[in-house]
Amino acid sequence: MIKKVVTAIAGLTLTAGLVGSVSVPAGAQAGAATGTATGDAVQVAAPKPPKGARAVVQVSPNPTAKRGQEVTITGHCGGGTGLKAVIAGIDRERPVLENVRIIRDDPKGFLAKGTLSSRIGNGVGPVFVDCGGEAGVTLLVTHV
């Protein structure tokens, strides 16, 4: 499972480099870009993430402020079968979140809760979700 999540996250990272907007001078040809023109800029529609990396995840509150604070993990599975797992951090021996509980595994809107580890410090760590065929990631910022 971890290998599939890491592979999907690599795809998300590559896709993230493609997402954004492009500025085109007024009167310039935008080529095949589609979007809406506002003044002298063209907003380019974000490409759809690759298959296997279409789940969407949010963590609230983010940034977190206290060790031991409970956080809520929400999102949707982007075509996956339902929330199977939440993995926070990269090192299994020092997880960012502990006591992660899946409350609702609905692929159209999942809900999980977890507690910020008492061993974490200031920093940024990934929160991955496995949605049965689709994966997603977000970053959790900690200020302790």
Side-chain angles (χ1 to χ4, degrees):
M1 176 185 86
I2 297 296
K3 185 176 179 182
K4 287 183 182 179
V5 170
V6 171
T7 301
I9 299 314
L12 281 173
T13 304
L14 293 173
T15 301
L18 301 174
V19 176
S21 63
V22 177
S23 269
V24 179
Q29 181 89 7
T34 60
T36 58
T38 55
D40 63 349
V42 173
Q43 296 289 333
V44 178
K48 190 172 185 179
K51 182 86 173 123
R54 294 183 181 163
V56 174
V57 59
Q58 299 90 28
V59 177
S60 178
N62 193 8
T64 59
K66 301 176 190 171
R67 293 177 176 137
Q69 180 177 5
E70 184 173 79
V71 296
T72 303
I73 300 107
T74 58
H76 65 80
C77 288
T81 59
L83 184 61
K84 306 297 182 207
V86 177
I87 303 164
I90 296 178
D91 184 359
R92 285 185 176 205
E93 294 176 19
R94 292 183 301 172
V96 173
L97 293 178
E98 299 172 336
N99 192 27
V100 176
R101 306 164 311 282
I102 296 174
I103 296 168
R104 188 176 63 236
D105 64 355
D106 184 357
K108 293 182 181 179
F110 60 75
L111 173 67
K113 297 216 179 241
T115 305
L116 195 58
S117 173
S118 62
R119 297 178 290 175
I120 58 98
N122 294 329
V124 177
V127 176
F128 304 98
V129 293
D130 173 4
C131 275
E134 297 291 341
V137 65
T138 192
L139 294 176
L140 174 62
V141 180
T142 57
H143 299 285
V144 292

